[in-house]
Amino acid sequence: IYSLNFRIMKMRNGMYLFAAAIVASTVGLSSCSNDEEGVGGTDWKNGPTKDVTLSLSVKKVSKRITSDEANQGNTIQEIKDIWVVPMVGNEYLQPISMGNITPTNASPDLKKVATLNTSINKFVVYGNVGDSDGTWSESSIFVEPEFSLMQKTGVPEAIKSTTYEPYPMYYYGLAGEGTNPIKGYTDKDFTQGEATITAGDPIGSSYAAIKVSGVNYGVGLLAAAVLNGDEDEVFYPTNNGGTLEGDAVGADEAIEIAGVLINGQYTKLNKTFDKAADASEGNVYEEAADVILKEKSAKIAFANNKVANANIYSVVAKTEAEKNVTMNIVFKIKQGHFIKNNSGQILGEADKDAYAFLGVILDAEKASTTEKCVFQKDFTTLLNATVTDWGNLSGEEVITTDVNLGVEIDTEWQQGTAYDVEI
């Protein structure tokens, strides 16, 4: 029997390397009496397997979005429901569930026993993939996993369309194919004899350690700032039968940012976090991380691929090439403030907060990548939305269209497209 134990090593850039050490038992090694046929799925006759014990330690990514929670700050968030799926060719073997990893249990004591096939030539890694009850069964993998949006509750009453929670921060990686090879090592500590295993070749039994890298985000991120480019005092304290009266104030006093309504997000993603074949489109709503309007000069920007001080951070699914994205910035007009918009409609309430909308279009032609996708996996899309006329506010949403196994998860976002729009 082989014992496979992960241990955690912090790297200079703050990432955590999930490594493993293999130890041969004192009996049974030379006889290979533990060799057996592979298991999982249907007829798995792809070579001998060996029992291994896996243990994994990580730090933590959840969904609710502040700067830190979006991994744009200093704290790496929880990664839940981590699965390592060995593959032979394009077929999945027995998935290995690593459970929920948090700072409170991030020790090398979390262990699972699995049977690995020496013919394995690929590994898929999933993270944050739990079902609504927080679990993900092995059958979820064997039947081609899909990931669905969950309907959101508690949205502002002014939003009339059906809305969904953003997707969690899914992680995904495929090693052993294309430009992401599996690395083999002659020692158990991943320090000696590094060799690249040719894509498509089995891992075999020549190495004392195997590293699976290239695990990144399976989704994208929107980081948006809302800036006040209209400092006119147009919000009044009294609505007298359609006539606004009293001393007017500016939006800085009368308005807060409630969130963002993103149109056209796919309601289902397939096992590689692309649009599922039967997916429809839905609206995702995310609350603001910072409700205070920014000054016109306080635009946000990329710094080391991160975006600090955004009003809104929202997980987003990858969009199709050359497809524009429409959204609504949702505002809260504080109780006792009124404005007459450019259509002559009076917005605001005397006895409660009211909500209003400004529409935004993100043009795919301005996307910086070759594919011209507004949102991409593992990329942050930056938006500076400057309000030029509060009279454009609408009371309704604007609808436009056998070896040691090491796993390395990258929690760094890449820099994506930056949009600078006036609304």
Side-chain angles (χ1 to χ4, degrees), residues 133-155:
D133 61 355
T135 62
W136 205 42
S137 64
E138 292 172 1
S139 62
S140 300
I141 299 174
F142 287 128
V143 298
E144 297 290 316
E146 286 187 338
F147 308 91
S148 299
L149 289 174
M150 302 295 294
Q151 191 164 342
K152 188 174 181 67
T153 59
V155 299

Side-chain angles (χ1 to χ4, degrees), residues 6 11 15-19 84 122-125 172-177 179-185 190 194 210-216 405-410:
F6 281 83
M11 304 175 72
M15 295 185 297
Y16 280 70
L17 174 65
F18 312 117
V84 179
K122 299 177 189 176
F123 289 92
V124 176
V125 180
Y172 175 76
L174 173 60
E177 185 173 277
T179 59
N180 186 26
I182 300 169
K183 297 284 188 178
Y185 298 81
F190 300 88
E194 180 182 287
I210 294 289
K211 183 193 290 185
V212 178
S213 299
V215 184
N216 298 301
L405 181 64
V407 179
E408 186 176 56
I409 296 181
D410 188 351

Side-chain angles (χ1 to χ4, degrees), residues 68-184:
D68 274 330
E69 289 164 339
N71 284 333
Q72 298 284 308
N74 298 317
T75 305
I76 298 173
Q77 299 295 310
E78 182 179 28
I79 305 176
K80 303 175 69 174
D81 297 297
I82 299 171
W83 290 76
V84 179
V85 188
M87 297 177 68
V88 176
N90 292 321
E91 303 295 333
Y92 286 171
L93 289 120
Q94 195 72 26
I96 303 160
S97 172
M98 306 311 298
N100 300 338
I101 313 300
T102 68
T104 57
N105 66 2
S107 70
D109 296 325
L110 181 64
K111 298 180 179 180
K112 299 285 183 178
V113 175
T115 300
L116 297 185
N117 192 306
T118 57
S119 298
I120 289 165
N121 59 355
K122 299 177 189 176
F123 289 92
V124 176
V125 180
Y126 291 102
N128 278 358
V129 292
D131 295 330
S132 58
D133 61 355
T135 62
W136 205 42
S137 64
E138 292 172 1
S139 62
S140 300
I141 299 174
F142 287 128
V143 298
E144 297 290 316
E146 286 187 338
F147 308 91
S148 299
L149 289 174
M150 302 295 294
Q151 191 164 342
K152 188 174 181 67
T153 59
V155 299
E157 62 182 14
I159 297 177
K160 303 302 182 184
S161 60
T162 300
T163 57
Y164 297 89
E165 295 272 2
Y167 283 109
M169 281 192 188
Y170 292 129
Y171 284 92
Y172 175 76
L174 173 60
E177 185 173 277
T179 59
N180 186 26
I182 300 169
K183 297 284 188 178

Side-chain angles (χ1 to χ4, degrees), residues 1-2 25 28-29 31-37 48-52 115 402:
I1 295 177
Y2 285 77
S25 64
L29 180 59
S31 68
C32 296
S33 60
N34 62 332
D35 288 5
E36 58 184 47
E37 294 297 327
T49 63
K50 296 185 185 298
D51 289 338
V52 297
T115 300
D402 258 304

Side-chain angles (χ1 to χ4, degrees), residues 266-335:
Y266 302 126
T267 56
K268 283 187 181 180
L269 302 177
N270 62 20
K271 66 179 181 180
T272 59
F273 299 101
D274 294 302
K275 177 185 177 183
D278 61 343
S280 57
E281 293 185 0
N283 299 330
V284 162
Y285 181 71
E286 179 63 275
E287 294 89 353
D290 179 2
V291 302
I292 306 301
L293 283 168
K294 296 185 179 297
E295 295 180 359
K296 185 177 180 180
S297 59
K299 292 183 178 181
I300 56 176
F302 287 110
N304 298 321
N305 291 349
K306 292 189 175 184
V307 183
N309 303 316
N311 290 108
I312 296 164
Y313 297 95
S314 180
V315 170
V316 286
K318 178 185 176 182
T319 51
E320 293 179 3
E322 300 182 359
K323 180 178 180 179
N324 293 346
V325 170
T326 62
M327 63 179 67
N328 281 258
I329 306 296
V330 185
F331 297 92
K332 180 170 71 175
I333 303 176
K334 297 178 185 178
Q335 176 182 339

